[in-house]
Amino acid sequence: MEIREVVGETERREAVPIVRQLWSDAEASDVLEWTGEDEYHLFGGFADGDLVGVAGVRLEDVLHHARHAWLYDLVVDEPHRGDGYGTELVRFVEEWATERDCEYVALASPLAKTGVHEYYDGLGFERWGYVLETEL
């Protein structure tokens, strides 16, 4: 699989249907807008020239994690799940973050997504806390 940053509106449009498999309640136009933000990096995994998965990342500097890459979106297109593309994307993000002096790659996942938690456990991610929020 070839992994590269997806730039430009045309390439990001191709990624929108895959991202919406994770964020199904988001409008396509909203996905296109947030994937184009300056601080957001969208990486695409291409197999035989076809986009099969994406990873959306931002670099952050905060007290509880120092410098880290926050993995907002990791989605493999439904027909390609289980083929190892997600793991390749995560490993790419880890390498990319290391090259940018990050100490961690971090993410949040809903409590009900136990399969997702097991997947990241298997990749060596450690559960260390909770994300707490309140709707305004």
Side-chain angles (χ1 to χ4, degrees), residues 54-115:
V54 296
V57 183
R58 288 179 61 122
L59 297 176
E60 305 283 346
D61 289 292
V62 294
L63 291 175
H64 69 280
H65 258 359
R67 184 163 174 81
H68 68 283
W70 189 266
L71 181 57
Y72 280 97
D73 311 302
L74 176 69
V75 192
V76 174
D77 195 16
E78 181 69 38
H80 300 284
R81 292 183 187 162
D83 293 337
Y85 296 132
T87 300
E88 286 187 58
L89 283 162
V90 170
R91 297 301 182 218
F92 175 88
V93 168
E94 290 173 334
E95 184 177 316
W96 180 85
T98 298
E99 292 169 358
R100 283 150 185 83
D101 298 322
C102 291
E103 296 180 27
Y104 299 93
V105 172
L107 60 100
S109 176
L111 289 172
K113 300 282 188 174
T114 55

Side-chain angles (χ1 to χ4, degrees), residues 3 11 16 18 31 35 41-42 49 55 71 75 80 82 84 95-97 105-106 110 115 122-123 125 129 136:
I3 301 174
E11 283 191 327
V16 167
I18 295 175
V31 173
T35 59
H41 300 273
L42 184 64
L71 181 57
V75 192
H80 300 284
E95 184 177 316
W96 180 85
V105 172
L123 294 178
F125 282 65
L136 302 177

